[in-house]
Amino acid sequence: MKSSESNNKAHVAFLWHMHQPSYKDPNTGDFMLPFVRLHSAKGYYDMVKLALEYPEMRMNVNLVPSLISQISDYAEDRARDIYLELTIKPPADLTLSEKVFIIRNFFMNRWETHVYPYHRYRELLIIRGTNPDSESPKVLASRFSTRDIRDIQALFNLTWCGYFMRRQFVGIAELLKKGRDYTEEDKAIIVKLQIDVMKSLLPLYKQASDEGIVELSTSPFYHPILPLLIDTNSAKRAMPNVSLPGRFSSLEDAENQIDLGLQYFEEKTGIRPKGMWPSEGSVSPEVIPLLDSSDIEWTATDQDILFNSHIEGDTNPDIYSPYTAVFEESSVNIVFRDRVLSDLIGFSYAQNDPKKAVADFMKQINKIASDRAGKPTLITVILDGENPWEGYKDGGEEFLRGVYEALSKGNTSKKAISKKIGAATIGGYL
């Protein structure tokens, strides 16, 4: 990206972290929460479809193996999702406990963006009240007719459909316009299209990778905190006075989590990732040999990790420069998250007018480039790729389009920034 306010240049790197924990009950195989399916209908689908519309953009998408596994379960008809089963079941066939479950749990979303804009859904929330757990099941269920329950079933799933589903599938748009009095056939359409989207996700991300728009990276399989898995006492480096339970250490487990993640990712996508986002951005010196031995070329973490690390020959840590993290005989390239910019997208801009949010983001980018006065600059923006958009009135579309358009116009090079730009060496604590 070339700054529009000066001749200084800054490279802007987005890393969208797509993740969900495993919601599958190990004893029954049931999915206890529906968030893989619901985020697929919104965040995961919207993000890749939008990326494909901006081929000048260059970004990274980090797909966690435990997420891929659950998407595959749905796509291959192996997922038994309790919320899905209770969506499909006709209200007249529901038991009292099932009706109460729906009434209590099918408003599990951001009310400001998922409920209040829809008159019927808001009406049903008012009937339910804000503290349904305090009422007896019979009293709570008595306030809802069969028609009411069916509308809750439909609207809970329908309002999770993102902007691309609404635009691409006529059935979704028509059902949103309908607004109430949904039928069993209506519910079946919503569910079918959600599953169809899930079936398309991995091929779409593979397409974005093949077209050079997206670099795909991954994380350890079940998203463990690697430093604590290697040795729980490593927590004392950051918090010397912390009280810990009995010491646990399993280097082999940490190795397995990395290896399983890479192997499964390659099996499902045909791509062997060269990058890895460590779970929760957690790193330690002992993690470096594990990444190095797995042929991971780069990793990333938060800016404060850099500020608390020992840097050879550099007394001024620079989050806008790539580094090489070194431990014993191993090394890995590492970049650092600009927390301010990342958190603005994740937590603040949703409350702003999208155009003003885009203008502010670009102003911040240009200021960083200007302040560095021609010094090579890599601005790394890392955040969840699904969660922030629940707070945006339009699912974040206008903001993301504005940022992608602004950066695409300033893109003077289609080549990725060299790993060697501004490289310095980090040793000691990470």
Side-chain angles (χ1 to χ4, degrees):
M1 190 281 290
K2 185 177 180 180
S3 167
S4 61
E5 295 182 358
S6 72
N7 292 323
N8 300 313
K9 293 182 180 180
H11 297 267
V12 182
F14 285 100
L15 190 158
W16 301 111
H17 178 47
M18 311 296 197
H19 69 300
Q20 292 294 324
S22 178
Y23 295 114
K24 186 185 290 188
D25 186 313
N27 296 316
T28 66
D30 296 346
F31 279 66
M32 305 308 295
L33 288 170
F35 292 119
V36 170
R37 175 171 55 87
L38 299 180
H39 279 298
S40 292
K42 190 175 178 69
Y44 304 135
Y45 192 60
D46 286 343
M47 291 296 281
V48 68
K49 292 283 285 186
L50 191 64
L52 287 166
E53 290 191 8
Y54 291 90
E56 292 299 313
M57 283 295 297
R58 294 293 179 268
M59 66 187 78
N60 177 279
V61 173
N62 192 80
L63 295 172
V64 174
S66 59
L67 169 64
I68 297 174
S69 174
Q70 293 175 92
I71 290 173
S72 298
D73 280 348
Y74 280 96
E76 296 164 17
D77 198 26
R78 295 194 305 268
R80 185 171 180 271
D81 176 345
I82 295 170
Y83 285 73
L84 184 56
E85 291 189 357
L86 291 181
T87 292
I88 295 170
K89 195 169 183 178
D93 297 339
L94 294 167
T95 65
L96 174 62
S97 64
E98 288 173 337
K99 287 181 182 178
V100 170
F101 184 94
I102 289 170
I103 294 165
R104 287 177 173 167
N105 293 284
F106 276 42
F107 295 87
M108 191 170 54
N109 42 34
R110 294 276 189 99
W111 292 351
E112 295 82 1
T113 53
H114 283 72
V115 177
Y116 295 162
Y118 306 93
H119 180 77
R120 173 61 169 158
Y121 206 7
R122 184 169 190 166
E123 175 184 276
L124 292 164
L125 177 61
I126 292 170
I127 295 172
R128 189 199 79 152
T130 57
N131 190 22
D133 293 344
S134 66
E135 297 188 71
S136 73
K138 285 187 178 180
V139 170
L140 183 62
S142 69
R143 298 206 298 273
F144 292 86
S145 67
T146 296
R147 169 176 168 264
D148 292 337
I149 297 293
R150 188 180 293 111
D151 279 357
I152 294 173
Q153 291 170 316
L155 286 163
F156 173 60
N157 288 276
L158 191 57
T159 58
W160 269 98
C161 295
Y163 46 85
F164 269 99
M165 282 195 71
R166 298 175 186 212
R167 188 173 302 129
Q168 181 176 343
F169 301 114
V170 174
I172 297 296
E174 289 178 344
L175 290 175
L176 283 164
K177 185 177 180 180
K178 182 177 181 179
R180 63 175 61 234
D181 297 325
Y182 293 103
T183 66
E184 294 303 312
E185 291 73 20
D186 292 337
K187 292 192 300 179
I189 289 171
I190 300 167
V191 168
K192 179 185 182 302
L193 292 177
Q194 284 182 342
I195 301 302
D196 286 348
V197 160
M198 297 188 82
K199 291 177 180 179
S200 74
L201 284 177
L202 291 182
L204 282 171
Y205 280 103
K206 177 67 161 55
Q207 177 187 343
S209 174
D210 290 344
E211 293 181 11
I213 300 169
V214 166
E215 178 188 5
L216 295 176
S217 63
T218 194
S219 296
F221 196 98
Y222 281 113
H223 220 250
I225 306 299
L226 287 176
L228 297 180
L229 195 54
I230 294 170
D231 186 349
T232 52
N233 276 5
S234 65
K236 290 183 175 291
R237 292 175 183 160
M239 300 176 289
N241 298 319
V242 69
S243 178
L244 296 172
R247 187 176 185 181
F248 175 83
S249 176
S250 181
L251 182 65
E252 296 79 6
D253 233 359
E255 289 177 318
N256 273 340
Q257 287 290 323
I258 292 172
D259 291 342
L260 284 171
L262 292 170
Q263 291 169 17
Y264 186 76
F265 190 96
E266 186 172 15
E267 174 189 325
K268 287 296 184 180
T269 67
I271 297 169
R272 183 75 173 185
K274 294 296 184 183
M276 176 168 282
W277 171 251
S279 313
E280 305 303 325
S282 298
V283 291
S284 68
E286 293 79 11
V287 170
I288 295 168
L290 304 187
L291 299 178
D292 192 6
S293 64
S294 297
D295 295 325
I296 294 296
E297 294 181 357
W298 65 265
T299 190
T301 188
D302 188 70
Q303 62 183 45
D304 277 0
I305 302 297
L306 176 63
F307 298 147
N308 288 290
S309 296
H310 169 67
I311 308 170
E312 294 180 8
D314 189 351
T315 58
N316 296 303
D318 181 5
I319 65 168
Y320 303 119
S321 177
Y323 285 78
T324 302
V326 177
F327 182 66
E328 296 176 343
E329 301 299 318
S330 300
S331 64
V332 64
N333 296 297
I334 187 166
V335 294
F336 296 91
R337 171 180 181 262
D338 185 310
R339 185 186 298 169
V340 172
L341 288 175
S342 303
D343 286 354
L344 281 170
I345 296 174
F347 303 110
S348 300
Y349 285 150
Q351 313 306 317
N352 295 42
D353 174 86
K355 290 184 174 62
K356 291 181 179 178
V358 172
D360 183 75
F361 184 81
M362 295 306 299
K363 179 181 178 181
Q364 304 248 9
I365 293 291
N366 283 314
K367 185 177 187 307
I368 292 168
S370 177
D371 288 348
R372 291 173 65 80
K375 187 177 180 180
T377 301
L378 174 63
I379 303 170
T380 306
V381 180
I382 303 175
L383 67 154
D384 291 350
E386 71 282 270
N387 292 326
W389 318 122
E390 296 171 42
Y392 287 72
K393 292 180 180 178
D394 65 345
E397 181 179 16
E398 187 175 353
F399 170 76
L400 272 179
R401 283 190 182 279
V403 169
Y404 286 179
E405 286 171 8
L407 292 175
S408 295
K409 288 176 183 176
N411 188 5
T412 58
S413 173
K414 294 186 179 182
K415 294 183 179 180
I417 185 170
S418 168
K419 296 188 182 70
K420 300 300 182 183
I421 289 181
T425 300
I426 296 178
Y429 294 115
L430 279 174

